[in-house]
Amino acid sequence: MRSLILRASARLLFTLMLLFAFFLLWRGHNEPGGGFVGGLVAAAAFILIAIADGPAAARTAVRVDPRNMIAVGLLVAIASGAIALFDREPVLTAQWDTVHLLGLPEFTVGTPLMFDIGVFIVVLGVTLTIILALAEE
Amino acid sequence: MGVAVLSVFALAGAAPWLHRFGRGRTGWLLALLPAMLAVYFATFGNRIADGESISLSYRWIPSLGVSLSFYLDGLSLLFTLLITGIGALILIYAGGYMAGRSDLGSFYAFLLLFMGSMLGLVLADNVITLFVFWEMTSISSYLLIGFDHNRAESRAAALQALLVTNAGGLAMLAGLILLSQVGGSPEISLLKTQADAIQADDLYLPILLLILAGAFTKSAQFPFHFWLPGAMAAPTPVSAYLHSATMVKAGVYLLARFSPILGGTDAWTGIVTVTGTVTMLVGGGVALYQTDLKRILAYSTVSALGTLVLLLGQGTTVAATGAMAFLLAHALYKGALFMIAGSVDHETGTRDVDRLGGLRRAMPVTAAAAALAAISMAGFGPVFSFIGKELLNEAVLETETARTVLVLAALLGSAMFVAAAGLTGVRPFVGVTRATPKPAHEAPMSMWLGPALLATLSVILGVAPGAVERVIVIPAAGAVLGTPPDLHLALWHGFNPALTMSVVSVTAGIGLYFGWTALRRATPWMNVALTWGPARIYGWSLRAIGVVARTQTLLLQNGRLRVYLMVTIVAAIGLSAFTLVSKDSLHGIGSWSNLRFYQVGLAVVMLLAALYATVTTSRLAAVAALSVVGYGVALIYVWFGAPDLAMTQFMVETLTVILFVLVFYHLPRLRSLSGSLSRARDIAIALAAGGFMTALVLAASAGRGQSRLASYYAEESVPGGHGQNVVNVILVDFRALDTLGEITVLSVAAFGVFALLRLRPTGKERRTARIVGSPATDRRNQPPPERPAVEMPAPHDMRGDDV
C-alpha cells in the first residue's frame, strides 16, 4: 500500500532533511549538532523514501552502495587523523589553519571537521546498510 | 645495515611479481641480492677482525625504550655470511627443485621473508627488536613448513613447530624484559657491561631459565627436539636452509650472544652442558633408526645442535672457538647434504635409504658433492669440520667436572655422526644400482651447484683455514668470550689425545655404518620405544586444550540468547553493585529537592509505558510503549540542557521504531512461552538491573563535584579545540580516538548484520550442504549451527523460544 500524501510530502521532506543534516554537521562544532546526529538525520531522509516508495527507490536515491560509504567514511576519519603525522605530532592531534579566500571573510578550518565528516558518512552508511537490508527481506 | 635488512623484505614483497617475468630464471635473479649482501657484510671483515664493532640505531618506540638498533660484531658477521651466502644458493636450488609449480612465486617470497627476519635477528642489539625478528622467523618458518598446505601432515608439522618455538619465544620475551630491567638497559651491548650485577641479582635464575627455554625450543634441544624431524614435511630447500643451516641455529646464536652476560655460572654450565649432551646422544641415536634420508639428516642436525650447546655450556676458550668453527662447518656440509637428499628425492622419486643404491653412475656430480660433504660431516680428513671436531675433543678433555662422562659422550656422539654421514652421503651412491620409482638421472645445474660449492668450500677452508680464522671464527669466539681468543686453527695438531679420540670415533662410526642393518634387526623394540617420545606429550596437551575449550564453550556459549543476556546482566550488575556498596558510594544520594511537578508527571508516564510494554500482547503496542520511554529520556535531556544528547536520542528512537517495524514482517505471533517460575526470575533480574542503574546514576551525579574532567573540557574547548560545543569538541578532538573506535565497531556490526541477512544459506542450500559435507572433512560447507554462537538481532534468529 502506497500513500499518495506520504509520497508527495516525502519528496519535499527528503530535500529538507538532507539540508538539515548538512546544517547540523556544519554547525556542530559551535552549536548543538555534529556528524553523528547529522548522519542519523540523513539516514532518516533516505529511509523516508524507502517507506514511501520502497527500498529500491531509496537505493536509487543513495546512488552509491551504503557499504562503500562505511569504508569511505572510515578512510576519511583515519586520513584526518593521519594529517597530524606530517607535522610530526601524534595521530589524531587536531590541526588548524586559517584560510583567506578572495573576498570572503577569513575563517578557520581544521581536521576535526574532516573527522566529523568521516563520522557522518560512516553513520549514514551503517544505518542504511542495516535498514535497507532489512527492508528488502 | 638497516637498509640491508630492509632490502630483503622489499624483495620478498616483489618476488611473486618478479616471478611472473623471470619464470625459470627467477631463482638466479633473486639470488643476486643475498649474494651482494654477503659481499657487503664481508667488507666489514677487516674492521671486525681489528676488534671494532659497527652499531646503528633508529628511533622506534622511544617511550618504551624500544629502538631499532643493529650491532655487527664477529658473531653477527658469521651468521650474516651464512644467511646470505647459503641463502643465495638455496634460492637458486629452489628454482630447480620446485620448477613448474604455480605457487613458486610465493615460495620465494616466504623464503626471502625468512631471510630478512633472520638477518634482523642476528643483527639486533635491542632485546625487543631481537624478539620481534625471532618471532618473525618462527612465522615464516610456519609458512614454509606448511607450504604444501593441501597435505594435512604438512599443516600439523607447521603448527607443531610454531607452537613449540612460540611457547619458548614467549618465555624468552619474559626473560628478556626481566633482563633489561635488572640490567638497566634493553641494549645487549650495554648489558654486557652489567654482567656481574645481573649474575648477582635474585632474578638471575628465572632470567636464565626463561631465556634458555627460548633457545632450547628454537634449537630443538631435548625434550623439545621433536618438532625438527616433523618439520621435514617442508619442501627440501626449506629443510636445507632453515632447519639445518640457519634458523635452528638461532637458539645457539642466542646462547652465544648472552653467554658474556649470563654465562660462566654453575647454573649455566650445568643446565646448558647437560641439555646439550643429552640432545647430542638422543639425536645421534635416533638418527640411526630412520631410513628416510631427510629424517636421518634432521636427527643428526639435532645431534649437532646438541654438540654446539654442549660447547657453549663449557664456555672455555677452546670450547667457544670450537663451537664457532663447528657451527660454520656444520652449516656448510649439512646444507649440502640436505640439498643432495632433495636432489636424490627429486630425480629418483624416493628418499628411502633401503631403496637407494649405485646412484653414482646416474648422478656423478651429485655423488661427488655427496662424498665430499659426507667426509666433511664425518669430520675426518683435510676438511674444515675436522678442525671443529678436534676443538670439541680438546674442550671435553680439559673439563674439570664429569670429564669421563663427557669424553665418552663425545666419542659416542661423533661415532653416530660418522655413521649418519655414511648413510646419507655414501650409501645411496655406492653398491648395486636399484630400481627407483623414477629412472634416476643427473640433477640440473641449479640443483648441484649449491651442494658442490658448499662441499668444495669445506675442503678449501680445511686446507687453508687462515682467512676464516682471522675474519670470522676468532672474532665470533671473541664475541662469545668477551675477548678474542689467542688460538690458531690448523688441521694438524700433532699426535695428542684429541687426535686419538678422533681416530677411535671414526673407526667406531665406520663399524656402525657397516653394522647398521644388523643393528636395526637386533633391536626391533627400539622402533616401538621411539614412538613414546616427547611428541606424545605434545599431542596429549594439544588434545587437553581442545577438551577444555569445548567444555567451557558448551558451558558459557551454549547458544541461548536468553542465557547470554542473563549471564551478562547478572555478572555486570553483581560485580558493579558489590563495588558500589563496598566503597560506600551510595552515601548521600536521594535528595529530592528541586523536583518540578512536570518532571514527576513525565516519570509516571514513562513508568506506566514500561509496565505496559511488558504486559501487552501486541508487538506494535510494546514497541510504541518502549519508544514512549525513549522519548521521555530525550525530553529529560532537553530540560537539563543537553540538546546534543536529546537530538541524538530522538533520532535513535525514531530509527529503532522503524527497525522494529521492518523486523515484524518476519516474526511469528507473540506468544507466552516461559513458565511462571522463569518469568518470576526474569522479573527479578530486570528489576535488579534497573534499580542498580538508577543507584549508579544517582551515585555518579552525587560525586560529580569532585571531577576535574568536566571543568577541564569546558575551559579548554574554545582555546584548545576551537569550538563552542563542548560535547562535539570532546567527540571529534579531545577523545577522537574513542570515536574512531566506536565508528569502527559500528561498521563491523553493520557488516555482521548484513552478512547474517544476506549471506545465510537459503533453506534448500542448507539441506544439500548437510548431505554433502560431513563435519569432519569439510567445515567450510557446513550449515551454520541451528543456534549460532553469536546472535545478532536479525529476524531469523529471533524465532523460537528465545523471543
Side-chain angles (χ1 to χ4, degrees):
Chain A
M1 183 199 74
R2 298 267 180 246
S3 149
L4 188 62
I5 300 170
L6 182 62
R7 291 180 68 176
S9 51
R11 302 271 153 72
L12 208 65
L13 281 171
F14 171 70
T15 322
L16 278 177
M17 283 169 80
L18 268 191
L19 279 175
F20 183 57
F22 290 127
F23 169 69
L24 282 174
L25 168 71
W26 175 247
R27 68 175 219 151
H29 216 57
N30 288 310
E31 281 163 274
F36 195 89
V37 70
L40 287 176
V41 172
F46 289 108
I47 289 160
L48 186 63
I49 297 279
I51 292 172
D53 296 329
R59 279 214 190 268
T60 320
V62 188
R63 285 162 205 257
V64 294
D65 190 327
R67 285 175 296 167
N68 294 344
M69 273 190 205
I70 301 178
V72 171
L74 278 177
L75 278 179
V76 170
I78 291 167
S80 82
I83 289 174
L85 290 177
F86 292 103
D87 291 345
R88 304 217 153 233
E89 284 188 272
V91 176
L92 286 168
T93 310
Q95 305 295 317
W96 294 92
D97 210 356
T98 310
V99 181
H100 306 271
L101 274 182
L102 333 145
L104 288 172
E106 63 173 42
F107 59 99
T108 320
V109 289
T111 52
L113 179 65
M114 185 175 164
F115 185 82
D116 224 5
I117 292 172
V119 174
F120 180 94
I121 301 173
V122 171
V123 171
L124 177 59
V126 166
T127 317
L128 287 182
T129 301
I130 296 176
I131 292 198
L132 288 183
L134 267 175
E136 284 160 2
E137 271 285 295
Chain B
M1 247 188 300
V3 177
V5 176
L6 210 68
S7 65
V8 181
F9 286 117
L11 189 64
W17 178 77
L18 280 175
H19 181 58
R20 282 196 205 163
F21 301 98
R23 290 279 129 214
R25 282 180 295 279
T26 320
W28 296 88
L29 198 69
L30 294 174
L32 283 175
L33 179 73
M36 284 190 303
L37 288 178
V39 174
Y40 165 73
F41 283 115
T43 57
F44 288 106
N46 270 322
R47 290 170 66 188
I48 301 286
D50 291 341
E52 272 186 71
S53 58
I54 293 105
S55 57
L56 175 80
S57 185
Y58 300 98
R59 266 159 49 101
W60 187 9
I61 317 173
S63 51
L64 293 176
V66 180
S67 57
L68 210 56
S69 51
F70 297 112
Y71 181 80
L72 185 71
D73 62 357
L75 184 61
S76 310
L77 183 67
L78 167 59
F79 272 90
T80 50
L81 290 178
L82 285 180
I83 295 161
T84 50
I86 297 184
L89 296 176
I90 293 287
L91 281 169
I92 295 170
Y93 180 85
Y97 185 82
M98 317 252 305
R101 283 189 55 161
S102 57
D103 46 5
L104 185 53
S106 44
F107 185 74
Y108 285 133
F110 295 158
L111 215 52
L112 285 163
L113 183 71
F114 166 76
M115 191 186 294
S117 317
M118 193 70 202
L119 271 181
L121 167 62
V122 298
L123 287 171
D125 192 18
N126 189 291
V127 292
I128 302 297
T129 310
L130 177 107
F131 172 76
V132 169
F133 283 119
W134 177 278
E135 291 296 278
M136 280 172 67
T137 62
S138 289
I139 292 167
S140 43
S141 158
Y142 170 78
L143 292 171
L144 285 166
I145 297 173
F147 192 73
D148 292 324
H149 54 83
N150 292 323
R151 285 166 51 215
E153 182 210 346
S154 295
R155 294 198 302 270
L159 188 67
Q160 175 175 289
L162 184 74
L163 287 178
V164 173
T165 53
N166 265 26
L170 284 177
M172 182 186 84
L173 175 65
L176 290 177
I177 291 172
L178 283 178
L179 179 66
S180 57
Q181 280 177 354
V182 170
S185 166
E187 306 291 320
I188 297 167
S189 48
L190 293 174
L191 285 170
K192 275 184 199 164
T193 60
Q194 301 291 320
D196 292 334
I198 293 167
Q199 297 193 357
D201 200 276
D202 285 343
L203 285 171
Y204 169 72
L205 197 62
I207 292 173
L208 179 67
L209 291 176
L210 288 168
I211 290 182
L212 288 184
F216 287 170
T217 48
K218 196 79 160 186
S219 276
Q221 296 297 298
F222 184 85
F224 308 114
H225 64 281
F226 58 89
W227 72 261
L228 185 57
M232 292 302 123
T236 304
V238 178
S239 314
Y241 190 34
L242 275 70
H243 304 126
S244 73
T246 54
M247 190 185 87
V248 288
K249 297 219 170 74
V252 174
Y253 169 80
L254 194 78
L255 290 179
R257 177 54 83 209
F258 283 94
S259 149
I261 304 171
L262 300 170
T265 61
D266 287 347
W268 169 283
T269 312
I271 300 171
V272 178
T273 308
V274 169
T275 310
T277 312
V278 172
T279 309
M280 176 176 81
L281 294 178
V282 168
V286 179
L288 297 182
Y289 285 88
Q290 309 294 323
T291 54
D292 179 344
L293 275 177
K294 277 182 81 177
R295 286 183 77 86
I296 300 176
L297 286 173
Y299 277 109
S300 76
T301 303
V302 170
S303 175
L305 292 167
T307 313
L308 286 169
V309 170
L310 156 69
L311 285 170
L312 288 171
Q314 290 297 310
T316 57
T317 310
V318 176
T321 316
M324 293 303 119
F326 192 93
L327 194 150
L328 175 61
H330 179 258
L332 295 178
Y333 65 72
K334 199 50 80 61
L337 281 173
F338 261 113
M339 286 195 255
I340 288 162
S343 301
V344 168
D345 184 20
H346 197 259
E347 307 307 338
T348 65
T350 179
R351 307 196 293 252
D352 193 332
V353 182
D354 285 337
R355 298 174 62 188
L356 291 166
L359 285 176
R360 70 179 184 283
R361 280 179 278 276
M363 308 174 74
V365 185
T366 309
L372 283 183
I375 293 174
S376 194
M377 181 169 166
F380 201 76
V383 284
F384 188 64
S385 58
F386 177 65
I387 301 173
K389 211 136 220 181
E390 289 286 276
L391 286 168
L392 162 71
N393 292 342
E394 278 182 40
V396 294
L397 282 169
E398 69 177 27
T399 50
E400 281 146 25
T401 44
R403 186 167 68 176
T404 325
V405 178
L406 279 183
V407 168
L408 284 177
L411 274 177
L412 187 57
S414 300
M416 294 191 289
F417 223 65
V418 172
L423 290 178
T424 52
V426 178
R427 199 181 162 97
F429 299 96
V430 294
V432 287
T433 311
R434 302 200 183 190
T436 45
K438 278 201 284 185
H441 53 86
E442 184 57 271
M445 181 188 166
S446 56
M447 287 175 67
W448 58 252
L449 180 73
L453 260 179
L454 291 177
T456 317
L457 201 60
S458 55
V459 177
I460 294 175
L461 293 183
V463 178
V468 283
E469 174 198 287
R470 195 179 78 84
V471 178
I472 300 175
V473 176
I474 297 297
V480 180
L481 294 164
T483 48
D486 186 23
L487 266 182
H488 280 288
L489 307 185
L491 271 179
W492 182 248
H493 282 263
F495 292 100
N496 56 11
L499 185 67
T500 319
M501 278 180 74
S502 281
V503 172
V504 171
S505 63
V506 168
T507 316
I510 293 172
L512 264 178
Y513 170 70
F514 284 110
W516 183 57
T517 320
L519 173 79
R520 279 192 302 158
R521 251 187 231 130
T523 51
W525 46 269
M526 269 295 281
N527 288 321
V528 184
L530 286 179
T531 59
W532 283 90
R536 288 251 166 163
I537 299 172
Y538 167 83
W540 287 333
S541 41
L542 214 60
R543 269 193 297 279
I545 293 172
V547 169
V548 170
R550 244 189 318 281
T551 317
Q552 73 95 14
T553 306
L554 279 180
L555 221 66
L556 292 177
Q557 307 274 326
N558 58 4
R560 295 173 76 97
L561 186 58
R562 186 162 52 172
V563 177
Y564 286 5
L565 276 177
M566 207 159 71
V567 170
T568 312
I569 292 175
V570 170
I573 63 171
L575 292 172
S576 312
F578 174 75
T579 316
L580 208 59
V581 174
S582 63
K583 301 245 177 202
D584 201 24
S585 308
L586 292 173
H587 189 73
I589 64 170
S591 62
W592 300 99
S593 57
N594 301 330
L595 212 56
R596 304 295 168 83
F597 71 93
Y598 53 82
Q599 290 166 347
V600 178
L602 180 67
V604 170
V605 170
M606 282 165 70
L607 280 174
L608 285 176
L611 194 62
Y612 183 70
T614 59
V615 295
T616 179
T617 51
S618 149
R619 270 218 181 80
L620 195 59
V623 170
L626 277 181
S627 61
V628 167
V629 179
Y631 285 122
V633 171
L635 205 57
I636 295 176
Y637 288 148
V638 173
W639 285 340
F640 287 92
D644 283 279
L645 287 181
M647 227 161 21
T648 311
Q649 176 78 14
F650 275 123
M651 284 316 299
V652 169
E653 277 308 322
T654 311
L655 291 174
T656 310
V657 173
I658 293 174
L659 209 63
F660 268 120
V661 170
L662 290 173
V663 170
F664 282 168
Y665 287 123
H666 311 285
L667 292 182
R669 214 165 51 78
L670 190 63
R671 279 176 302 166
S672 175
L673 293 151
S674 24
S676 57
L677 201 67
S678 56
R679 277 176 87 87
R681 180 196 62 199
D682 294 348
I683 289 173
I685 293 174
L687 285 178
F692 166 74
M693 281 312 291
T694 313
L696 185 67
V697 170
L698 286 173
S701 49
R704 204 177 182 173
Q706 297 146 13
S707 165
R708 282 176 296 142
L709 211 54
S711 54
Y712 168 81
Y713 282 142
E715 283 159 17
E716 282 296 309
S717 180
V718 176
H722 295 262
Q724 307 277 347
N725 181 357
V726 184
V727 176
N728 194 257
V729 172
I730 291 174
L731 281 176
V732 299
D733 191 346
F734 291 152
R735 315 203 57 169
L737 189 63
D738 289 2
T739 312
L740 188 63
E742 279 155 20
I743 56 176
T744 311
V745 170
L746 263 184
S747 312
V748 174
F751 285 114
V753 172
F754 188 83
L756 280 172
L757 286 174
R758 287 292 170 80
L759 308 181
R760 76 196 146 104
T762 58
K764 193 180 166 193
E765 280 167 1
R766 275 191 201 208
R767 252 174 279 122
T768 46
R770 218 170 261 166
I771 297 160
V772 173
S774 80
T777 55
D778 197 349
R779 279 163 196 276
R780 274 169 305 179
N781 284 346
Q782 255 188 296
E786 284 296 281
R787 298 170 185 278
V790 179
E791 294 195 42
M792 302 289 286
H796 70 107
D797 287 326
M798 294 178 75
R799 294 193 190 105
D801 68 343
D802 275 342
V803 174

